[in-house]
Amino acid sequence: MDFLHAAGFDYKGIVAAGFSLYVTHIDIHYKGSAFLDDRLFIETYPSKLKHVMGEFSQKITKEDGTVCAEATVTWASVTSTGRPAKIPDEFMVDGLKPEEN
């Protein structure tokens, strides 16, 4: 949720409009260990956006820069009845769109 808030996404507003974003899949690759009391940082950025789904890529690192894990989080936009639906244009913010190469 921190990423969505920072991106300017109005999650409360989209729920009030009858939509939600559901996580549909998480693919995670563990790269190194993290231990109790390690301070972890999660870098999140949009990597794919289609009509009703998208992906966020994440990199989890320790304070010293060691990568602990990399993940891809797939999400879908759905109506209040759980049917897939395009995110209404008024809720589409640049923070959901991957950077163009």
Side-chain angles (χ1 to χ4, degrees), residues 7-68:
F9 186 75
D10 181 9
Y11 199 86
K12 288 181 181 179
I14 201 167
V15 170
F19 297 86
S20 290
L21 299 183
Y22 286 0
V23 172
T24 60
H25 183 80
I26 298 176
D27 186 32
I28 188 163
H29 297 272
Y30 292 97
K31 306 283 188 177
S33 298
F35 300 97
L36 187 64
D37 294 329
D38 280 351
R39 189 165 181 203
L40 301 177
F41 300 88
I42 303 171
E43 178 184 342
T44 303
Y45 56 92
S47 51
K48 185 185 287 186
L49 181 63
K50 294 190 176 185
H51 294 296
V52 299
M53 61 80 63
E55 289 180 354
F56 298 132
S57 293
Q58 295 183 318
K59 182 165 50 171
I60 297 92
T61 58
K62 294 196 303 189
E63 202 163 16
D64 67 2
T66 302
V67 177
C68 297

Side-chain angles (χ1 to χ4, degrees), residues 74-92:
T74 305
W75 56 268
S77 172
V78 297
T79 65
S80 59
T81 61
R83 298 189 57 83
K86 182 179 180 291
I87 294 176
D89 289 339
E90 63 267 27
F91 296 104
M92 185 56 67

